[in-house]
Amino acid sequence: MRDQGEFLFTSESVSEGHPDKVADRISDTVLDAYLAADPYARVACETLVTTNRIVLAGETRGPSTITPEYLAHLARLAVHDIGYDQEGFSWRNAKIDVLLHAQSADIAAGVDAGNHSDGSNKDEGAGDQGIMFGYACTETDALMPAPIHYAHLILRRISELRKIGDARAVGLLPDAKSQVTLKYVDGKPVAATSIVVSTQHEAGMSQHDIKSMLRPLITELLPKGWMCSDEHFYVNPTGNFVIGGPDGDCGLTGRKIIVDTYGGAAPHGGGAFSGKDPTKVDRSAAYVCRYLAKNVVAAGLASRCTIQVSYAIGVSHPLSVYVDLHGTGRDVDQRKIEHTLRELVNLTPRGIREHLHLNRPIYVPTSAYGHFGREPSAELGTFTWEKTDLVPALKSAFGR
């Protein structure tokens, strides 16, 4: 994203009832079930949802007490919590196929720590090769890009009101999308020029009814004076949105990677998150990159920070660590930041897992409304990668 001039930038979010997010939720439900039974379980669970059908596939290694019947039960509970009890997709009678199988022995050999047949003794290796990115900026208090921050906020609020039966969301159903376009002046967001909300609803509700319900709600969520004109506030632009969720469109795990991260404001390595245990660096390394970038910005070293790391399957340490401050660094050497971050945090899969306490059942809350920019909870142990506990060490290292 540019730092100078005037421009528009757009990000979208999708609700927990969007078909792809239903799939993400079920995959993370499976992951949490395994980690609750064994913190070192291995899981790579993919989910497909369509009209009254749920299919789980992938690889696992964990306790035999986690049966297909138990996982089907958990999937049903997840659908119930999202709110689907419709003719075309219901927690009550959806058919569920659990097709998970054992993790490949070849992958396990590369990832596992310990003694090997060639006489070597190695630390845990990365679960796959790849590149991962983290990003932070000063556009919001959460140090997230403003367009994705507000796109998530709109849908989270609608979902909260829908679930408690609030009049401001009566008649709205689980499937929804939002899109926020912000005007930037010299790199800073100043107003929304357009907002789109498409939300599933009960039969008989008009576009005007829904628009009248949502406009004051969204106006309250945005900074004062940011709400766009009514002409550029689009609600269900195609008209009716009664048939939705997996009955209206097939959903798959991992298809919303830009929604899950920075809304397109930062690079993405291409790997999805949901359903993957922490040995999969697609997930854990992306989390630690966000953690490092957020701490750099929170320490006042820069206004924007992008961090990239890369891994090879079976190899413990990252092949590269790259820091880009986008010209906003405050008298700091980017190469020194790279060196300092590697000293502060062990970037092996084991090091990341232990530093951020990732081998616990904490992943269901991440499956909708973004993996980043959320409040860490000491009680629940969630979103540890959002902590800014490296700030004192970074300030000390750079004389701040």
Side-chain angles (χ1 to χ4, degrees):
M1 194 183 298
R2 299 195 296 268
D3 292 319
Q4 302 298 322
E6 184 176 309
F7 59 91
L8 305 181
F9 192 84
T10 304
S11 295
E12 72 157 351
S13 179
V14 296
S15 73
E16 66 202 271
H18 184 282
D20 294 332
K21 282 289 146 195
V22 175
D24 284 345
R25 169 66 178 271
I26 293 171
S27 290
D28 275 332
T29 296
V30 171
L31 172 61
D32 279 357
Y34 271 95
L35 292 178
D38 177 2
Y40 302 100
R42 299 283 169 76
V43 179
C45 176
E46 311 290 345
T47 302
L48 176 149
V49 292
T50 186
T51 302
N52 258 346
R53 189 73 176 263
I54 300 169
V55 180
L56 278 63
E59 306 81 47
T60 66
R61 190 176 81 192
S64 59
T65 53
I66 307 295
T67 63
E69 293 76 18
Y70 179 57
L71 294 178
H73 170 69
L74 292 180
R76 210 173 288 283
L77 292 181
V79 173
H80 176 270
D81 184 65
I82 292 169
Y84 276 114
D85 191 11
Q86 301 168 14
E87 182 178 351
F89 192 73
S90 173
W91 66 273
R92 299 176 190 274
N93 55 18
K95 182 178 179 182
I96 303 176
D97 297 318
V98 179
L99 307 178
L100 295 162
H101 60 79
Q103 183 187 48
S104 159
D106 291 342
I107 293 176
V111 174
D112 290 349
N115 295 311
H116 292 265
S117 57
D118 62 359
S120 63
N121 188 306
K122 67 182 232 10
D123 196 2
E124 294 175 14
D128 202 350
Q129 72 174 50
I131 58 174
M132 301 85 205
F133 290 90
Y135 181 74
C137 64
T138 56
E139 292 180 17
T140 62
D141 290 343
L143 302 185
M144 286 288 287
I148 189 67
H149 174 79
Y150 290 110
H152 285 323
L153 197 60
I154 289 167
L155 293 185
R156 287 185 70 183
R157 187 62 175 146
I158 292 172
S159 175
E160 290 166 358
L161 296 175
R162 173 178 62 82
K163 288 187 172 184
I164 64 174
D166 191 284
R168 289 170 289 178
V170 67
L172 302 186
L173 298 175
D175 193 359
K177 301 179 78 171
S178 66
Q179 186 169 285
V180 174
T181 299
L182 297 184
K183 178 181 178 180
Y184 282 74
V185 177
D186 293 332
K188 296 181 180 180
V190 297
T193 60
S194 66
I195 293 176
V196 183
V197 177
S198 296
T199 177
Q200 187 186 15
H201 58 87
E202 294 177 354
M205 297 183 72
S206 70
Q207 284 175 296
H208 180 268
D209 293 337
I210 300 171
K211 191 172 186 178
S212 298
M213 290 167 59
L214 295 184
R215 184 173 180 84
L217 185 157
I218 294 171
T219 301
E220 289 179 4
L221 295 174
L222 297 174
K224 188 175 180 179
W226 275 33
M227 185 62 186
C228 62
S229 67
D230 197 63
E231 178 186 4
H232 295 105
F233 177 41
Y234 304 94
V235 173
N236 290 358
T238 61
N240 279 346
F241 186 3
V242 175
I243 300 172
D247 187 32
D249 192 9
C250 175
L252 297 170
T253 300
R255 252 193 335 196
K256 287 294 176 283
I257 59 176
I258 300 304
V259 170
D260 284 345
T261 53
Y262 307 102
H268 195 295
F273 299 156
S274 289
K276 296 178 181 178
D277 73 76
T279 67
K280 280 71 174 177
V281 284
D282 279 341
R283 184 171 212 160
S284 57
Y287 285 0
V288 84
C289 283
R290 161 63 179 173
Y291 172 66
L292 297 176
K294 184 175 183 180
N295 275 270
V296 167
V297 173
L301 303 183
S303 299
R304 292 173 59 198
C305 178
T306 297
I307 293 180
Q308 183 208 57
V309 296
S310 65
Y311 290 86
I313 188 169
V315 178
S316 299
H317 289 275
L319 307 183
S320 63
V321 177
Y322 167 78
V323 174
D324 185 357
L325 303 181
H326 304 277
T328 69
R330 293 164 187 155
D331 299 319
V332 292
D333 183 340
Q334 293 179 162
R335 289 171 297 178
K336 183 178 178 181
I337 292 181
E338 292 166 1
H339 178 73
T340 302
L341 293 176
R342 295 189 79 154
E343 286 189 330
L344 291 174
V345 180
N346 177 354
L347 295 178
T348 66
R350 182 202 296 271
I352 296 169
R353 185 191 73 224
E354 292 179 350
H355 191 94
L356 298 179
H357 309 290
L358 296 181
N359 58 329
R360 295 172 298 154
I362 58 173
Y363 295 103
V364 163
T366 70
S367 61
Y369 312 116
H371 292 245
F372 307 128
R374 311 278 286 273
E375 284 294 319
S377 168
E379 180 183 357
L380 301 176
T382 52
F383 300 101
T384 55
W385 49 94
E386 292 295 320
K387 292 181 179 180
T388 52
D389 52 349
L390 297 182
V391 166
L394 285 169
K395 285 186 174 181
S396 176
F398 289 89
R400 302 303 165 97

